[in-house]
């Protein structure tokens, strides 16, 4: 194969984990290059934390990380804990601040983090091949050692036409027609991300690259995503925001599994959004991806989690008694948003002159929505699933199946809850791969020197 560009290390994907890995590799003296399908590196970073980039969190627990082997995140946390990550960002030039344990750049702009990485990579003379989409990869022997060969489609940025009379450039920059470009490397880091996000390259092709090397892929599904429900009354609740305890229940015959979260929920045209809903979405996504499943997925909303059902019933009766001349919705006007209260009254079977307070209290504590789907990957913040970590040496994020192949970030089967955990995993896995790779190169150089020591040649004749 003809190789157009040769580097010691190729990192495929200039997202969070890819840029972290490339930065540490270059700082360690490695000849590393980044290949990025988008027009700029770190594009997905711009949307994190609602544009504020919540990049880590003081609270760290195994419950914050999900996948078949969440203990992998805890293993890396022993080395790349929060103080370590804060120092890493300080070294990039990012002044950080925390709010309730959540860490952000002091600018509260994701663009600051992205640009700090780009500036540092430029200082380290790391080439970034933008608009470069890897479409095939292979590993072939070259000389005494195998190497990775990549075929990519690249598009160059074409400068706009002649300047206008006022000196301004005419039109926007355009991209050339795609052409093939080839790369060769001794080491390969796959940091392509998953399927989540509405950006170029979020098509899951990284899984195909990993599968080429024999890796098992745990089926990817949308996570941190909105849920869809069957209930007909949802159209009446569109746009309503309310605090609630959200419980996801998955029933398989008599067996039931439950997960709960609290916080603000948002009713959409077809279901639910908001942080509590999105935290639970990966469990629903996993079941929905199963073929011919008979499991029932339900969400129960408790709008008064601090009050018992009996006490809530007494509160309702008190308001009815205090305002006998009012309709039920008028008597309870301050309890919940008007649209939601109307739906709950209807669900509880309220009729003119009839006010079953016990039934209403139960409905307010256990309002049920039957979940029938999630929004698409384009709306998801992260992918659940990915390369099975059983096949990864987690301490270095190196493949157990293919030497010198590293798999990091969202491509691996770890997804975090909201609060900076997905980025924490990205930093940890990228840095672990970089340090593991640099250590391997150092051992290789040391071994090479030992093998050339005078008096030992006979051993290698």
């Amino acid at each position: 194969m003809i190789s157009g560009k040769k580097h010691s290390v190729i990192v495929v994907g200039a997202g969070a984990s890819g840029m972290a890995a490339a930065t540490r590799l270059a700082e360690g003296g490695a000849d590393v290059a980044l290949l990025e399908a988008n027009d700029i590196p770190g594009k997905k970073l711009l949307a994190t934390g609602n544009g504020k980039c919540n990049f880590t969190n003081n609270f760290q627990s195994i419950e914050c990380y999900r996948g078949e082997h969440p203990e992998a995140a805890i293993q890396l946390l022993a080395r790349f804990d929060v103080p370590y990550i804060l120092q890493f960002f300080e070294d990039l030039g990012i002044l950080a601040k925390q709010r309730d344990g959540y860490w952000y750049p002091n600018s509260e702009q994701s663009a600051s983090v992205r640009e700090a990485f780009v500036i540092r990579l430029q200082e380290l003379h790391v080439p970034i091949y933008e608009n470069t989409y890897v479409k095939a990869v292979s590993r072939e022997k070259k000389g005494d050692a195998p190497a990775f060969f990549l075929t990519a489609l690249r598009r160059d940025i074409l400068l706009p036409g002649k300047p206008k009379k006022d000196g301004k450039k005419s039109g926007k920059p355009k991209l050339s027609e795609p052409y093939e470009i080839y790369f060769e490397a001794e080491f390969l880091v796959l940091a392509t991300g998953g399927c989540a996000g509405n950006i170029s390259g979020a098509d899951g092709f990284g899984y195909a690259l990993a599968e080429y090397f024999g890796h098992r892929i745990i089926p990817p599904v949308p996570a941190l995503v909105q849920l869809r429900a069957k209930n007909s009354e949802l159209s009446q609740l569109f746009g309503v925001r309310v605090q609630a305890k959200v419980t996801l229940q998955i029933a398989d015959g008599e067996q039931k599994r439950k997960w709960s979260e609290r916080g603000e929920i948002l009713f959409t045209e077809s279901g639910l959004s908001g942080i509590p809903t999105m935290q639970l979405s990966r469990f629903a996504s996993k079941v929905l991806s199963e073929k011919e499943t008979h499991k029932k997925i339900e969400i129960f909303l408790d709008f008064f989690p601090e009050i018992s059902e009996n006490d809530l019933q007494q509160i309702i009766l008190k308001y009815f008694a205090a305002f006998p001349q009012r309709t039920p919705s008028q008597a309870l006007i301050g309890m919940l948003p008007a649209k939601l209260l109307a739906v709950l009254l209807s669900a509880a079977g309220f009729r003119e002159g009839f006010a079953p307070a016990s039934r209403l209290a139960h409905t307010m504590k256990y309002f049920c929505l039957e979940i029938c789907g999630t929004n698409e990957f384009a709306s998801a913040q992260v992918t659940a699933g990915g390369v099975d970590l059983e096949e990864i040496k987690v301490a270095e994020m190196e493949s157990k199946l293919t030497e010198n192949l590293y798999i990091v970030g969202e491509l691996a089967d770890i997804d975090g809850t909201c609060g900076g955990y997905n980025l924490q995993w990205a930093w940890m896995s990228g840095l672990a791969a970089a340090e593991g790779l640099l250590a391997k190169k150092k051992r290789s150089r040391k071994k090479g020197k030992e093998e050339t020591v005078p008096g030992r040649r006979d051993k290698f004749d």
Side-chain angles (χ1 to χ4, degrees):
M1 177 186 288
I2 299 173
S3 179
K5 303 287 182 179
K6 184 176 180 180
H7 298 277
S8 177
V9 188
I10 293 287
V11 179
V12 182
S17 60
M19 289 194 295
T23 299
R24 182 52 52 85
L25 284 165
E27 289 172 341
D31 168 27
V32 56
L34 274 164
L35 276 54
E36 171 55 45
N38 284 285
D39 56 347
I40 60 170
K43 196 164 189 175
K44 192 174 177 181
L45 267 177
L46 297 176
T48 58
N50 290 323
K52 296 182 179 181
C53 196
N54 169 208
F55 63 86
T56 190
N57 198 302
N58 281 344
F59 177 75
Q60 295 289 335
S61 167
I62 195 168
E63 287 77 20
C64 303
Y65 299 93
R66 294 158 173 179
E68 290 194 3
H69 296 285
E71 66 276 7
I74 304 305
Q75 180 180 340
L76 291 187
L77 267 169
R79 288 162 57 204
F80 306 105
D81 58 10
V82 174
Y84 187 104
I85 298 303
L86 292 175
Q87 184 62 55
F88 176 70
F89 272 83
E90 185 175 323
D91 293 342
L92 285 175
I94 293 292
L95 175 64
K97 70 177 180 183
Q98 68 98 9
R99 185 166 58 247
D100 299 326
Y102 293 64
W103 285 95
Y104 302 85
N106 198 63
S107 65
E108 294 198 4
Q109 292 183 323
S110 298
S112 300
V113 174
R114 191 199 78 82
E115 289 165 15
F117 269 110
V118 172
I119 291 168
R120 183 62 179 141
L121 290 166
Q122 289 173 342
E123 292 171 344
L124 294 165
H125 307 291
V126 175
I128 303 175
Y129 298 90
E130 298 162 345
N131 297 303
T132 303
Y133 182 87
V134 175
K135 67 174 189 176
V137 63
S138 64
R139 194 164 189 255
E140 304 167 19
K141 195 161 187 178
K142 185 177 181 182
D144 295 331
F148 294 97
F149 296 91
L150 296 85
T151 303
L153 287 178
R154 180 171 168 80
R155 302 179 75 184
D156 292 325
I157 296 177
L158 302 177
L159 295 176
K162 296 180 181 180
K164 296 180 181 178
K165 291 181 180 180
D166 59 6
K168 294 181 179 179
K169 291 180 180 179
S170 59
K172 295 181 179 180
K174 295 182 180 179
L175 294 176
S176 70
E177 291 299 315
Y179 62 91
E180 284 193 347
I181 182 171
Y182 305 100
F183 294 89
E184 178 187 337
E186 180 185 1
F187 298 89
L188 180 62
V189 181
L190 295 181
T192 60
C195 304
N198 189 21
I199 60 171
S200 178
D203 56 5
F205 188 64
Y207 303 125
L209 298 180
E211 279 186 310
Y212 173 83
F213 294 107
H215 280 278
R216 171 182 174 243
I217 307 300
I218 296 162
V221 297
L224 297 185
V225 69
Q226 300 84 2
L227 294 176
R228 297 176 181 173
K230 291 182 179 180
N231 305 56
S232 59
E233 61 266 23
L234 284 172
S235 59
Q236 303 171 54
L237 295 174
F238 176 58
V240 171
R241 295 178 181 270
V242 66
Q243 294 286 324
K245 177 183 177 183
V246 185
T247 299
L248 176 73
Q249 176 178 286
I250 297 176
D252 185 5
E254 295 298 316
Q255 287 189 330
K256 294 179 180 178
R257 291 181 296 157
K258 296 181 180 181
W259 301 266
S260 295
E261 296 282 346
R262 292 191 187 192
E264 185 182 73
I265 60 169
L266 168 66
F267 287 95
T268 66
E269 282 186 294
S270 58
L272 286 176
S273 186
I275 289 177
T277 303
M278 297 175 80
Q279 299 276 54
L280 300 170
S281 60
R282 65 109 56 208
F283 303 112
S285 285
K286 286 288 186 180
V287 173
L288 290 164
S289 70
E290 297 174 4
K291 294 181 179 179
E292 300 180 5
T293 182
H294 300 291
K295 298 174 184 176
K296 190 173 184 178
I297 309 171
E298 294 174 306
I299 285 279
F300 293 92
L301 300 176
D302 181 355
F303 301 108
F304 295 93
E306 307 298 333
I307 303 174
S308 70
E309 186 175 335
N310 183 65
D311 288 347
L312 184 58
Q313 180 182 340
Q314 298 307 310
I315 291 171
I316 293 169
L317 288 171
K318 182 183 75 171
Y319 278 106
F320 285 163
F323 306 106
Q325 74 282 9
R326 296 184 182 182
T327 64
S329 59
Q330 290 174 338
L332 305 177
I333 194 167
M335 291 190 72
L336 289 168
K339 289 181 181 179
L340 176 58
L341 184 58
V343 168
L344 295 175
L345 285 165
S346 176
F350 269 63
R351 301 291 183 271
E352 288 186 23
F354 179 63
S358 60
R359 199 179 307 168
L360 178 58
H362 184 79
T363 303
M364 288 178 168
K365 295 284 290 182
Y366 300 97
F367 184 58
C368 181
L369 299 174
E370 186 174 351
I371 302 303
C372 60
T374 72
N375 280 9
E376 303 299 326
F377 272 113
S379 300
Q381 293 184 20
V382 71
T383 305
V387 177
D388 187 354
L389 285 166
E390 282 278 1
E391 301 169 349
I392 302 291
K393 292 181 280 187
V394 174
E396 301 86 23
M397 296 306 293
E398 184 179 8
S399 168
K400 293 178 181 178
L401 310 182
T402 302
E403 189 178 10
N404 296 349
L405 173 67
Y406 298 79
I407 296 171
V408 301
E410 192 178 344
L411 191 59
D413 177 37
I414 288 285
D415 57 290
T417 60
C418 293
Y421 300 104
N422 287 292
L423 284 179
Q424 174 71 21
W425 168 251
W427 316 133
M428 293 192 300
S429 58
L431 292 169
E435 294 189 359
L437 195 159
L438 290 169
K440 175 177 271 196
K441 285 174 71 69
K442 185 176 181 180
R443 290 194 300 270
S444 179
R445 286 194 299 269
K446 185 176 180 181
K447 182 179 179 182
K449 290 179 181 179
E450 290 175 351
E451 292 177 352
T452 58
V453 172
R456 294 181 58 185
R457 286 190 59 188
D458 58 321
K459 186 176 180 181
F460 302 96
D461 288 341

